[in-house]
Amino acid sequence: DTCVSTGRRVLCVVAMSSSEAPSAAETLVFRQVKRARDMFVADHGKPLPRDEEAMEMKMKCKVLDEYSIVRDAPVPVAVTKALPTATKKTPILAIAGGSAEAAAPKSDREKAIALRQKDAGGPSASTELALRTMPTMPKPAWHPQWKLWRVISGHTGWVRCVHVDPTNQMFLTGSADRTIKIWDLASATLKLTLTGHVSAVRGLVVSPRHPYLFSVGEDKTVKCWDLEHNKVIRSYHGHLSAVFGIDIHPTLDILFTCGRDATVRVWDVRTKAQIHCLAGHKNTVACIATRPVDPQVISGSHDTTVRLWDLAAGKTMATLTNHKKSIRSIALNPKENTFVSGAADNIKQWYLPEGKFIQNCAGHDAVINSVVVNGDGVMASGGDNGSLRFWDYKTGYCFQGLDTIPQPGSLDSESGIYAMTFDRSGSRLLTAEADKTIKVYREDPESTEESHPVVWKPNMFKRERF
């Protein structure tokens, strides 16, 4: 017999040979014995034994994290002459006199603070401690305030896209009323109305080398218009659903379109042939941007990713997954190798060509439909609720916020901003809105640094790491 002590009780269990099958009662007795032993014999309050290997790894990780900047600093050269005034108090912590080997650590790996040679070889040579400097946030530059200058009416449906031609003499708008209107930029008068789409027009672009206008719409079509004869001369067929975005290559006769079929299609302007079908997105591709060097195509999608494409190979160079919401707008900086992407969660800035994250521009609490940047370092973002924000591009500081006013007769819900663009000089901002109007904003000439100062407080923790 085997007896197991459980405090006040003693349970006796008859050991059975391995050939006999245990009954249900015997199995229950064994289970109760095990539970009683675990409860009264095991000491759960006893600390775990010390793991020397784990502790050593932990200390190495802490040293690497805290002293990585100075850990591999070179060992200072021996100081040959002592400093005569070493006993006096100095504003810096210095180790003077004797040999540097006596003050320096034995190994480079064991140094916590770097020893720096000051005035090496001079009569007053000393070895001082190099301390880590705290990071600083640059102060945002002052920008004039922007104000509403002009409201242009003429469309009978939501204005979904706006584009300024390369000559900066006219701008074009596309609307849900299935028309394309061409306006004079200086006088804001209507010059021409083009009809041909059978659904809403969602994108427009004018070629900088030819008198051609390209338009896309929800009718799955891509059209090329001859602006000298004001008629359609080519159509590009291939999209399986609505087309939402269009752009033209800055130096080549290549056209890029994207849409609800989750693809970016590359077209030869002259032959109408499809060069590439860039597939990889899992949802609607809402916006694209092109540049003359790699990555030549950047696309943003409702699958919350931004993709940088290798145009020659027709493959993805990088996929940026920092966003958590659908991306609806992408804008390139005209003077830097950076770009911004706008979504409902944040506006994010990225380096090119590798797509490295720079910073978030937080504070525009809306669904961002459009983001644009001009050459003066001003970024503007328009929201689905009619909110308009102006930012200092370098620091991500929002220096002005406006709310658009729907034109009389419109509903309050028709105050959304669908598209925006700066003119070629960057001094005027055009917005395409849900109240069927185009609004023009410009800098306020009466705005000064005294009347509208920069209200800014440095925040070391503002720049998030993702």
Side-chain angles (χ1 to χ4, degrees), residues 94-113:
I95 302 174
S99 61
E101 286 80 357
K106 295 181 180 180
S107 172
D108 288 348
R109 298 289 181 181
E110 298 175 357
K111 293 195 302 296
I113 302 178

Side-chain angles (χ1 to χ4, degrees), residues 208-209 248-254 291-293 296:
R209 293 175 301 278
I248 193 167
H249 197 281
T251 57
L252 304 176
D253 289 334
I254 297 176
R291 53 200 301 266
V293 296
Q296 299 183 52

Side-chain angles (χ1 to χ4, degrees), residues 45-363:
K46 185 178 180 181
L48 295 174
R50 181 183 177 89
D51 189 346
E52 297 297 336
E53 184 180 357
M55 291 301 297
E56 182 182 0
M57 186 177 299
K58 177 182 176 182
M59 292 304 298
K60 288 182 179 179
C61 292
K62 292 183 69 173
V63 170
L64 181 63
D65 181 59
E66 296 292 336
Y67 308 113
S68 59
I69 296 179
V70 298
R71 188 169 60 93
D72 297 324
V75 178
V77 182
V79 181
T80 56
K81 295 183 180 180
L83 186 65
T85 59
T87 57
K88 296 182 180 181
K89 293 183 178 180
T90 57
I92 61 174
L93 182 59
I95 302 174
S99 61
E101 286 80 357
K106 295 181 180 180
S107 172
D108 288 348
R109 298 289 181 181
E110 298 175 357
K111 293 195 302 296
I113 302 178
L115 295 176
R116 184 175 58 192
Q117 185 74 18
K118 183 178 181 181
D119 298 330
S124 60
S126 65
T127 305
E128 65 179 21
L129 298 179
L131 302 178
R132 182 186 298 180
T133 59
M134 291 295 294
T136 58
M137 288 288 291
K139 185 177 180 180
W142 181 83
H143 299 283
Q145 299 288 295
W146 292 69
K147 68 176 184 179
L148 180 64
W149 178 45
R150 182 174 284 164
V151 179
I152 305 170
S153 301
H155 281 289
T156 58
W158 294 348
V159 187
R160 300 307 302 258
C161 53
V162 59
H163 177 75
V164 178
D165 83 314
T167 63
N168 206 37
Q169 295 180 356
M170 61 182 180
F171 69 94
L172 306 92
T173 57
S175 170
D177 61 8
R178 309 186 300 275
T179 64
I180 301 170
K181 291 184 181 292
I182 302 177
W183 311 79
D184 183 72
L185 186 59
S187 62
T189 57
L190 180 63
K191 299 175 66 176
L192 185 66
T193 299
L194 301 175
T195 59
H197 283 278
V198 296
S199 190
V201 181
R202 296 298 297 268
L204 296 169
V205 65
V206 177
S207 172
R209 293 175 301 278
H210 309 288
Y212 293 159
L213 162 67
F214 300 93
S215 64
V216 296
E218 296 179 1
D219 53 6
K220 312 178 189 179
T221 61
V222 181
K223 295 182 182 294
C224 175
W225 304 76
D226 188 341
L227 294 180
E228 294 179 346
H229 300 87
N230 301 328
K231 65 179 182 180
V232 177
I233 58 173
R234 297 187 188 97
S235 293
Y236 305 85
H237 301 284
H239 276 284
L240 306 178
S241 189
V243 190
F244 288 160
I246 185 171
D247 205 353
I248 193 167
H249 197 281
T251 57
L252 304 176
D253 289 334
I254 297 176
L255 188 68
F256 304 90
T257 58
C258 63
R260 194 181 292 161
D261 56 3
T263 62
V264 177
R265 298 182 186 267
V266 186
W267 311 89
D268 188 328
V269 171
R270 295 165 295 179
T271 64
K272 302 185 292 183
Q274 179 177 295
I275 303 172
H276 284 302
C277 178
L278 306 179
H281 284 291
K282 306 300 182 184
N283 206 332
T284 300
V285 184
C287 50
I288 51 175
T290 62
R291 53 200 301 266
V293 296
D294 287 333
Q296 299 183 52
V297 189
I298 306 170
S299 61
S301 170
H302 288 184
D303 62 5
T304 73
T305 64
V306 177
R307 286 182 180 261
L308 313 181
W309 299 90
D310 183 349
L311 183 60
K315 296 180 180 180
T316 303
M317 293 177 57
T319 303
L320 313 179
T321 60
N322 297 48
H323 278 287
K324 304 297 184 295
K325 299 286 186 178
S326 299
I327 300 165
R328 302 194 179 196
S329 181
I330 287 177
L332 297 171
N333 190 311
K335 292 189 176 181
E336 299 178 6
N337 277 332
T338 60
F339 74 97
V340 293
S341 57
D345 56 349
N346 257 324
I347 301 171
K348 297 181 184 291
Q349 296 181 5
W350 314 85
Y351 281 118
L352 288 171
E354 67 274 5
K356 182 181 178 182
F357 174 75
I358 303 175
Q359 66 177 351
N360 281 328
C361 300

Side-chain angles (χ1 to χ4, degrees), residues 425-443:
S425 65
S427 60
R428 285 170 288 189
L429 176 68
L430 292 82
T431 63
E433 305 195 4
D435 61 355
K436 308 170 188 176
T437 64
I438 304 101
K439 293 184 174 65
V440 183
Y441 295 83
R442 68 174 181 178
E443 295 178 349

